[in-house]
Amino acid sequence: MLIRYGYRITLESAAPLPLIAQLTARPERRLDLRAPEAFRTDPAVPHATHIDMFGNLRTRLTAPGGCFTLESDAVIADSGLPDPVFPAAEESPVEALPDAVLPYLAASRYCETDLLGELAWDLFGQVAPGWARVQAICDFAHAHLAFSYGDADQFRTAHSAYAERKGVCRDFAHLAITLCRCLNIPARYAFGHLGDIGVPKSPDPMDFAAWMHVWLSGRWWTFDPRNNAPRIGRITIGHGRDAADAALISSFGTHELREFTVWTDEVAD
């Protein structure tokens, strides 16, 4: 199947504004593109791309002041299959984990394992290790938090989401990631495009989505605490320890958001 995806984001600043944008599909999906992503800015400014320490593609540029629009549009091929489910996937002892996944066991900016460790073991310590335990964590996060775009808060952490019992998709992901790490299961934050493909259209406006990857049986698996069901057509833009490592746009100065439009739709071949 083919998916058309893109965005149009307009910022307004009173002075030149350095930006780092992380808005393009990760390198492993580049071969699936039917044509290069059509990235542009208005007004046009020079920009340069680089790959960060997590393998995400990032773009550096400076908005000149006033209204500034970033826009991209692309078509990508996708298998059309839902996220894989493998109930037999097993946890690995910490001593057997690859070095590269060890950072995803530790506390991070939005994932306070020290504050949620006792809760994690009380709730899930007796659940069968492996896929069933991770799914139980997702079930808990999905039921415990109430979703609302109006409750987005850049300062909300996993612990405060648990206490407040509300949030957006990144809060669902942070809570589940933290509970996994408390149980010595490596988990990382992921975000990208996720359209309503194969499911009823959502009444909420389209946006970027966040989910998590969990290390079981020697590989990363996708879990989605917010939707809590396999989905079709994820286009991963970035991943890291938490949302601080995978910000859509990092700005170095003050600005106001004037437009934020995102699209992810199945299109005819």
Side-chain angles (χ1 to χ4, degrees):
M1 66 181 293
L2 298 180
I3 301 172
R4 182 184 179 192
Y5 69 96
Y7 58 85
R8 185 168 54 254
I9 301 171
T10 299
L11 311 174
E12 184 175 3
S13 61
L17 181 68
L19 301 170
I20 299 176
Q22 190 168 300
L23 291 163
T24 190
R26 277 184 54 88
E28 58 265 26
R29 292 303 304 273
R30 308 302 283 178
L31 292 177
D32 295 328
L33 290 170
R34 284 299 178 94
E37 289 184 349
F39 174 75
R40 71 178 189 89
T41 65
D42 183 18
V45 299
H47 60 274
T49 60
H50 66 276
I51 296 178
D52 70 9
M53 69 181 70
F54 301 101
N56 305 315
L57 281 167
R58 307 204 302 176
T59 301
R60 294 183 61 178
L61 65 166
T62 299
C67 283
F68 181 72
T69 298
L70 303 97
E71 186 171 6
S72 182
D73 192 48
V75 174
I76 195 168
D78 189 86
S79 69
L81 299 174
D83 304 320
V85 175
F86 185 47
E90 300 178 342
E91 296 175 26
S92 298
V94 173
E95 61 272 19
L97 291 171
D99 293 343
V101 308
L102 294 178
Y104 302 105
L105 285 176
S108 56
R109 164 69 176 85
Y110 290 103
C111 300
E112 315 103 317
T113 53
D114 53 335
L115 298 180
L116 290 173
E118 183 176 355
L119 173 73
W121 282 102
D122 286 347
L123 292 176
F124 308 108
Q126 301 307 310
V127 178
W131 191 279
R133 178 180 276 172
V134 176
Q135 185 58 57
I137 290 171
C138 290
D139 293 343
F140 172 80
H142 181 77
H144 186 78
L145 302 183
F147 179 87
S148 171
Y149 279 110
D151 287 322
D153 183 347
Q154 63 176 319
F155 301 110
R156 184 180 292 119
T157 65
H159 182 263
S160 54
Y162 169 74
E164 296 169 12
R165 302 197 65 166
K166 64 181 181 180
V168 292
C169 53
R170 76 179 223 160
D171 302 307
F172 285 72
H174 284 150
L175 178 56
I177 287 167
T178 305
L179 294 172
C180 284
R181 291 180 187 173
C182 289
L183 296 163
N184 300 325
I185 306 170
R188 70 187 183 194
Y189 179 89
F191 85 95
H193 291 269
L194 180 61
D196 296 321
I197 299 172
V199 298
K201 292 291 184 182
S202 170
D204 299 316
M206 174 56 64
D207 201 340
F208 292 105
W211 54 89
M212 70 175 181
H213 297 153
V214 178
W215 186 266
L216 297 171
S217 289
R219 56 160 285 185
W220 293 108
W221 300 88
T222 295
F223 287 84
D224 186 343
R226 194 276 195 195
N227 293 295
N228 205 30
R231 294 289 294 270
I232 296 169
R234 292 183 198 274
I235 304 169
T236 304
I237 292 174
H239 62 234
R241 292 165 298 184
D242 57 32
D245 292 332
L248 286 169
I249 298 178
S250 299
S251 62
F252 301 88
T254 59
H255 68 273
E256 293 187 16
L257 181 64
R258 297 302 187 193
E259 180 182 5
F260 191 90
T261 304
V262 184
W263 53 90
T264 313
D265 302 296
E266 183 179 1
V267 294
D269 194 341

